Amino acid sequence: MIEIENSNMIKLIELIDSIKDIRFVIQSYFKKKLKNNDLGITVEMFEVLIVLSRRNSVNQQQIADTVRKNKANLTPIIDKLSAKNLVLRQEDGSDRRNKLIILTEEGKKMCSVYNAMFEEFYVKFIQNIDLNNVDKTIAMLKNLGKQVSGSN
């Protein structure tokens, strides 16, 4: 085991651990909500629907980049969403090799369920958080991400 004495390094490790913990807790919360509402989709499928709800049409690579999965792992998720009539694959008019993924009407209805779940989440947990601190935290995390990705 590595022994760390520098208090700044200890703080950074605590920050990273806290980010992982909150991501896990939030994902678990929504996983439970999806199961309790008997929506028949996974959190991963829901993440794709959320990406699509924010844009009209997106190619598979853009979705993969947003949900942080590789394109090959995303294919079965999109296949399942397509089988449930939540998304459609459509040929890109500017590049026939490229397929655009779009929400169906059923997919849009599913996203409205998400909006209700997120509003409930907000009311229960987030409404009392100081938004100035949120803005500062977002900026700090983005800066940290840039520094880490730029050092590779």
Side-chain angles (χ1 to χ4, degrees):
M1 182 165 177
I2 299 173
E3 195 171 315
I4 298 174
E5 295 181 21
N6 183 327
S7 65
N8 289 336
M9 288 181 66
I10 291 170
K11 286 180 185 178
L12 182 59
I13 290 169
E14 287 177 16
L15 173 67
I16 292 167
D17 287 344
S18 295
I19 292 167
K20 290 188 295 187
D21 290 345
I22 193 66
R23 185 179 192 287
F24 176 78
V25 169
I26 291 171
Q27 192 171 35
S28 295
Y29 173 87
F30 282 103
K31 188 181 286 187
K32 184 177 179 182
K33 284 292 187 183
L34 289 170
K35 186 176 180 180
N36 289 345
N37 287 303
D38 198 26
L39 298 177
I41 62 172
T42 64
V43 170
E44 291 81 10
M45 293 165 75
F46 221 79
E47 287 176 332
V48 171
L49 292 176
I50 293 165
V51 170
L52 293 170
S53 73
R54 295 178 183 155
R55 304 181 200 157
N56 287 336
S57 62
V58 184
N59 70 34
Q60 192 166 329
Q61 187 60 58
Q62 291 168 317
I63 296 170
D65 292 344
T66 304
V67 299
R68 307 220 177 359
K69 292 193 179 300
N70 69 41
K71 198 172 168 182
N73 290 342
L74 191 60
T75 299
I77 294 170
I78 292 174
D79 289 343
K80 289 174 186 171
L81 289 169
S82 181
K84 292 180 176 288
N85 194 34
L86 299 173
V87 301
L88 291 173
R89 285 183 172 97
Q90 188 176 62
E91 194 172 283
D92 185 346
S94 61
D95 183 354
R96 289 185 5 201
R97 296 168 296 170
N98 192 26
K99 297 287 185 207
L100 298 175
I101 313 299
I102 60 171
L103 281 175
T104 63
E105 286 305 313
E106 200 64 33
K108 290 176 185 175
K109 289 178 191 172
M110 183 72 71
C111 288
S112 68
V113 171
Y114 165 76
N115 288 337
M117 287 183 350
F118 195 80
E119 282 180 32
E120 180 183 327
F121 177 79
Y122 173 80
V123 168
K124 277 183 156 178
F125 305 109
I126 300 176
Q127 70 178 352
N128 296 318
I129 292 176
D130 181 358
L131 292 179
N132 290 323
N133 286 335
V134 171
D135 289 339
K136 289 176 187 174
T137 303
I138 291 168
M140 185 265 308
L141 290 172
K142 285 184 177 184
N143 186 36
L144 179 62
K146 285 179 188 175
Q147 289 180 28
V148 172
S149 65
S151 68
N152 293 340

